[in-house]
Amino acid sequence: MRAGKYIGIMSGTSLDGVDVVLADINARSITQLASYFHPMPESIRQAILSMNQGQAVTLSALGHLDTRLGVLFGDAVLQLLAHNRLGAGDIVAIGCHGQTMWHEPYGDAPCTLQIGDNNHIAAMTGITTVGDFRRRDVALGGQGAPLVPAFHHALLQHPTERRVVVNIGGIANLSLLFPGEPILGYDTGPGNMLMDAWVAQHRALPFDKDAVWAMTGRICPELLAHFLGDSYFSLSAPKSTGREYFNLAWLEKQLAAFSPLAVEDVQATLAALTANSIAEQIRLHGRCDRVLVCGGGARNPLLMQQLAGQLPMSHVSATDEYGIRGDDMEALAFAWLAFRTMSGLAGNLPSVTGARNATVLGAIFPANRSA
């Protein structure tokens, strides 16, 4: 086992910035030591948005963005190390999820693409870096996502409680942690992604802080039912999705079937879509004692209120109440996945992704500390 200090990097579908965590990890425990949030420059954010929804893209533009993201991730790690007075020799490895540009685990040639050149991270920090976690699972017939349920199980399982962990980032996903049953998990659909796109278009804001704008609107039941009629919501697991499907073009196509609505009513209905699609999937699996919410959506009071209202028999709360800051959860998961890779241990769960078998994930980019 390669126990010791690991760093995890997560840049998710919300595109708000880079979460970096430091953790002490061994076979028995995961202890978070520090975290750092590194803002994403607007130029990089716009470059990602200009090509990750199916637009035509040049290889030059993709290559430049790959490098810029690698440097951004490397800078974020260096900031974390400086803040905690640590050097490269104190860290076993970095686990970097990378920025998802495309995720299409279906069809004749399933694929998933995360960029952010790990060579730059390793060169800048002098720390062995583990990346490209998803494609081995896809190569084995899996969805390549979600990968966090195995980590949620390691961190939050309970011997008697039936728990569901819900991560609400750009996309929402859940992990079912039911004692004595196989671990299950999948993407339920949009999390913050559509709400963020709509408020950006109509209010020129990156997100609807505290759902203030959504709370001024009214849910349109007919529109909500129309949203939920999308075929993705009725697909059986394993399943996963991303910005290449749930994006502003998807929303505008849905809205085209309706007379113009007040823009704040659309925002309120999008919040209801996220809450309803999550709650519906939780109810499908029977009794749930506790719902633990992480990701940016855990800070959305409207989403939390709606989830609690739709799941009256479950205790709904943020993972922060259990000592795990929700904003750090996914970065912490990729630190743990780096530990698994460096230890030669499987990181995926076939019961979640549908892969033919469990496997070690990722590619290792060794440090060159003598350079």
Side-chain angles (χ1 to χ4, degrees), residues 18-274:
V18 183
D19 293 306
V20 190
V21 299
L22 172 69
D24 198 306
I25 304 176
N26 58 49
R28 295 172 302 281
S29 66
I30 306 155
T31 304
Q32 184 172 338
L33 304 175
S35 65
Y36 171 69
F37 177 77
H38 198 64
M40 180 174 287
E42 184 62 19
S43 62
I44 293 182
R45 181 175 181 274
Q46 289 302 323
I48 295 168
L49 288 172
S50 74
M51 62 179 78
N52 74 345
Q53 298 175 59
Q55 307 96 319
V57 59
T58 67
L59 292 177
S60 175
L62 184 62
H64 288 159
L65 182 57
D66 184 38
T67 295
R68 293 174 70 192
L69 281 166
V71 171
L72 180 70
F73 298 154
D75 281 338
V77 170
L78 292 174
Q79 290 291 328
L80 177 74
L81 293 173
H83 291 167
N84 292 277
R85 298 182 179 180
L86 295 171
D90 297 310
I91 311 299
V92 178
I94 296 165
C96 181
H97 171 269
Q99 183 65 53
T100 296
M101 300 303 293
W102 194 255
H103 185 70
E104 189 179 358
Y106 309 101
D108 295 334
C111 62
T112 184
L113 176 64
Q114 290 74 42
I115 66 171
D117 189 357
N118 293 291
N119 292 286
H120 280 277
I121 302 171
M124 291 172 66
T125 64
I127 300 170
T128 293
T129 301
V130 186
D132 195 16
F133 285 96
R134 298 191 185 277
R135 291 199 292 177
R136 178 65 65 85
D137 185 87
V138 171
L140 289 167
Q143 293 281 307
L147 297 180
V148 292
F151 174 69
H152 289 157
H153 181 260
L155 195 66
L156 292 166
Q157 65 176 312
H158 190 276
T160 59
E161 272 190 354
R162 291 169 64 87
R163 292 183 168 185
V164 175
V165 181
V166 179
N167 175 62
I168 309 178
I171 292 294
N173 56 67
L174 52 76
S175 303
L176 289 90
L177 311 179
F178 295 167
E181 299 182 21
I183 303 163
L184 299 177
Y186 51 91
D187 291 347
T188 59
N192 303 311
M193 183 178 292
L194 295 177
M195 291 184 285
D196 290 351
W198 191 248
V199 76
Q201 184 178 68
H202 293 280
R203 306 275 291 193
L205 296 170
F207 64 99
D208 183 14
K209 183 174 174 58
D210 296 327
V212 169
W213 190 43
M215 289 182 184
T216 68
R218 294 183 298 176
I219 296 169
C220 175
E222 296 81 9
L223 179 60
L224 176 59
H226 186 65
F227 285 160
L228 289 168
D230 185 273
S231 60
Y232 181 80
F233 299 110
S234 59
L235 285 176
S236 299
K239 61 179 181 177
S240 57
T241 188
R243 191 181 294 276
E244 67 286 335
Y245 187 81
F246 287 109
N247 51 41
L248 199 55
W250 179 91
L251 177 55
E252 290 171 346
K253 182 179 179 180
Q254 298 286 318
L255 291 173
F258 287 79
S259 299
L261 298 169
V263 289
E264 62 271 20
D265 292 350
V266 174
Q267 187 74 359
T269 308
L270 287 172
L273 169 63
T274 294

